[in-house]
Amino acid sequence: MITEKNFRKYRIGAKAQRLFIMRENGLNVPELVCVQSADSLRDFPFDMNGLYSVRSSADCEDGDSMSFAGQFSTCLNVRGIELGKYVRRCLSSSETAEEYMISMGKDPEEAHITAIIQKMVPSELSGVIFTANPQGILNETVIVVGRGLGCNVVEDRTDVTHYYYNTTDDLYCLERQNDSPLLTDEQLKELINISKKICCIFGRRQDIEFAVESGKIYVLQSRPVTSLTDDAVTVLDSSNISESYPGISLPMTESFVSEVYYQVFRSCIKRATKNDGTAERIDASLRKMTDSANGRIYYRISNWYDIILLLPFSKRIIPIWQEMLGVRDKEVTHGDKKAGFMTKLRVTTSFFQLLSTNRRNMKELEEYFGDVYKRYSNAISGTDDPETLLELYCGLRDELAEHWDLTLVNDLYTFIFTGLLKKCLTRKYGEKGQELTNLFIAGSRDIESMRPVKMLADIKKCFTESGALDDLRYVTDEESFERALSKCSNGARLISQYIDLYGDRCPEELKLETVTYRMKPYLLAKNIVSAAECGTTTEKELPKRGILADIFARKAAAGIRLRESSRMSRGRIFGLVREIINKTAEALCAQGRLSNSDDIYYLRFDELFEAVGNKNTELRELVRKRRETYRSFEKLPLYSRLVFAGEPVDKQLADASAGSLISGDTLRGIPCSSGDAEGEVLVVDKLTPDLDSDGKIIAAKMTDPGWVFLLSRSAGIVSERGSLLSHTAIISRELKKPAVVGVKELFSTVRNGDRIRINGSTGTVTILERKITMNEAI
């Protein structure tokens, strides 16, 4: 007789063993016994009118390399009086499994079959949990649930709901078939916890069957997922790249960003290694510094580690780099190729040389950029020919690639000295070290990102003095904008200068598909009307820094100023590329090959080159399909990390909705700009011209440089993403607005109209009062 207390003494197969082990570990597995023949049934007190399931359990079944799913007989709703017949059927069902074993290179004689008899669960809902998505997404749990018995779900005899749960972010999206059932948040949480516990017990990814009856969840089976391996894992991480490319980025932007990162990093490696062939040796990694999934741009982070590991003191630099970029998962993943001694020596020499000359190099780069920008701006304005425009694009790309890698050196320079400053201050002042670091690297009033804000304030002053500010309030198009400008000549002159200098600085400015102020100047009217004076907060008296901290603070602040300046220049480069694309789009529309000029952004750059070179290339159908695909992506959440068993794959869901399992009233993030703020929350998922942030606390997933106008009018800022050197942090410090970034639970907890308090010194976010919705009031 095989019972729960002595099952380990018998050959009962992996399936049965797992069920008994799960019961031992407190999981809710229905009562079961194993028998090796129908004659053994007399040893157990079965209810003759009760209902049972009869399933196989073989030595070779549900193993680490073979699952045997569907190879043996399973009988459900078997009455106790008929158990003998179905046990014999189950034990004799090994013939189909023999062919399966032969195909897997196993000896059929190795099989030893017993039968599991288990109490039936009259399930209202049943389903399957895959603790890793079989499509190859390793940090995504998939839950499939339908009505009735589990056989209805696995045999596609009922409509099901798919839940896709990202284990890194506690976010999920779901897709329903018709009127398929929905799980409650409590049920979903319990299923996730059950799956985590089972994985912990067995140490492998699992395929779990479950049933729900009267609100109670039963575990019916668990087997290892044998189709996924860790042999070629790809890790995508959004970190601070989501600040530059929030939400969906269209194919043209994706392909351009990939090319830019490749060219710049390749140039940097050549410079650091004295062009010793390392760049060619790691070319595959350099070509994939970024990647995309579900329409979002990510770092392919293992490739970044490949590069950083070339540096001296890389083990000390990596934690600083992770903190400055807001990388939450600290695991270092990288390839197998290691740099040789001579390469390391060259990189070490270059490293110290470049750090020592960083400020001079960045100043020279700024002057060089001014010359390149002027030449290419004039050349692009002077032609409408697509082939010439693309030649100009290639020239611009190649010229800048040879020099723009210096911005990577400046980033590292800034990261290192900011990290050293924080370490120095934390050692001296303890917990206040973080706040003091924020204060010591702030106050760079001349940083480039603040100049547009100051210039808008000057423009507003001109229109106010001329009595024409009200005309700007009602601007809706180019014509009404021109009428307003005619009433204030000085303001019109300043606006012209502003567009020339900062016309590309706008929300989502690094997405090529973005409509900028340079393209439609009248969109600037809203920002002029709401422009605010900044920096009126009383300065805090700071403690003495000490000699070492003073050196670190000055170098970090200088790096930040240079970083913001290069970001402004980068935006202008993207403006030139955007002009090339828009002019090419007009030509393709004139040829009848595109329906609308913005269709071009659904093409990749290689496809654009082919289309210009070959007028027979079909574009309309490709664009139509891409539009449909990217519309579906908009319904999916942005995940901070995606882990794939192989190359990244997109999630194609016809109709998805998103949710989160995180809740609570006190949240914590990274304090990055000191001070307290209390007020009404303005949740900003996407920046639009009609947003009113006056006196409110902005809650955002992330911000980009174009948000500076909205931030300047707010009481404070809190964001899901970000780090000590993210743009949100830098601008908040300069505006003297309290700010907390990297609040993982923000969007699942805070909603528009709530009243909250944020502390930019401790990193806490407290919900003081919930806004009552109409439904809640009723």
Side-chain angles (χ1 to χ4, degrees), residues 328-573:
R328 291 173 179 163
D329 192 322
K330 307 304 182 185
E331 180 185 4
V332 177
T333 58
H334 56 87
D336 298 327
K337 296 179 181 178
K338 294 184 178 180
F341 173 76
M342 290 306 298
T343 296
K344 277 275 192 179
L345 183 61
R346 292 187 190 97
V347 171
T348 301
T349 304
S350 299
F351 175 77
F352 288 109
Q353 179 186 3
L354 288 168
L355 288 185
S356 65
T357 58
N358 177 64
R359 294 167 73 172
R360 185 186 71 204
N361 291 341
M362 287 297 291
K363 289 292 185 183
E364 289 176 357
L365 175 63
E366 191 172 331
E367 293 175 5
Y368 174 77
F369 167 76
D371 174 63
V372 170
Y373 182 85
K374 183 177 180 180
R375 283 192 289 111
Y376 277 90
S377 180
N378 291 335
I380 293 167
S381 299
T383 182
D384 294 318
D385 176 60
E387 291 186 1
T388 304
L389 287 166
L390 292 185
E391 287 174 3
L392 288 170
Y393 162 76
C394 292
L396 176 63
R397 178 198 65 194
D398 295 342
E399 280 200 49
L400 288 173
E402 293 181 6
H403 299 84
W404 204 253
D405 61 294
L406 290 170
T407 62
L408 297 179
V409 177
N410 183 66
D411 283 351
L412 190 59
Y413 176 96
T414 307
F415 293 171
I416 289 173
F417 286 111
T418 303
L420 290 172
L421 174 64
K422 180 183 175 183
K423 187 175 182 179
C424 185
L425 293 174
T426 301
R427 186 184 295 128
K428 187 173 183 179
Y429 295 103
E431 292 182 357
K432 284 188 67 67
Q434 172 76 70
E435 181 183 3
L436 291 172
T437 300
N438 294 333
L439 293 170
F440 285 146
I441 62 178
S444 304
R445 306 306 304 159
D446 60 337
I447 68 170
E448 196 72 33
S449 295
M450 291 301 299
R451 293 178 184 175
V453 181
K454 295 175 181 177
M455 193 167 182
L456 280 185
D458 292 340
I459 295 171
K460 179 179 180 179
K461 184 178 179 181
C462 279
F463 276 88
T464 301
E465 290 174 351
S466 67
L469 189 64
D470 281 342
D471 293 88
L472 283 180
R473 295 183 192 279
Y474 303 105
V475 166
T476 57
D477 52 28
E478 203 64 52
E479 185 179 347
S480 54
F481 188 52
E482 289 297 330
R483 284 198 301 270
L485 296 185
S486 67
K487 297 182 180 181
C488 181
S489 57
N490 284 336
R493 178 180 53 80
L494 286 176
I495 286 174
S496 178
Q497 293 177 9
Y498 182 95
I499 295 297
D500 183 54
L501 292 171
Y502 309 119
D504 300 303
R505 169 124 297 187
C506 64
E508 303 186 4
E509 65 186 24
L510 297 185
K511 293 183 182 181
L512 296 176
E513 61 269 20
T514 295
V515 176
T516 67
Y517 301 125
R518 191 180 301 279
M519 295 163 64
K520 293 187 177 181
Y522 75 87
L523 296 175
L524 195 61
K526 171 74 175 179
N527 288 330
I528 296 171
V529 171
S530 55
E533 293 293 336
C534 308
T536 56
T537 306
T538 304
E539 296 283 350
K540 289 189 176 184
E541 185 175 341
L542 300 177
K544 291 183 178 180
R545 295 191 287 213
I547 296 174
L548 202 57
D550 185 63
I551 292 171
F552 295 155
R554 283 189 285 106
K555 289 184 178 295
I560 290 170
R561 285 195 299 272
L562 293 167
R563 195 165 183 248
E564 288 302 296
S565 179
S566 68
R567 281 182 169 186
M568 187 71 79
S569 298
R570 181 183 60 181
R572 301 185 81 189
I573 293 168

Side-chain angles (χ1 to χ4, degrees), residues 470 686 734:
D470 281 342
K686 185 173 178 62
E734 300 313 316

Side-chain angles (χ1 to χ4, degrees), residues 56 71-74 88-97 113:
S56 68
Q71 300 299 316
F72 293 107
S73 172
T74 296
R88 282 189 287 272
R89 179 184 297 179
C90 177
L91 294 175
S92 64
S93 66
S94 61
E95 292 181 5
T96 57
I113 302 175

Side-chain angles (χ1 to χ4, degrees), residues 95 210 225 279 309 317 359 512 532 548 562 577 594 635 671 775:
E95 292 181 5
F210 69 91
V225 175
L309 287 170
I317 290 174
R359 294 167 73 172
L512 296 176
L548 202 57
L562 293 167
V577 175
L594 291 178
K635 299 177 182 180
N775 289 337

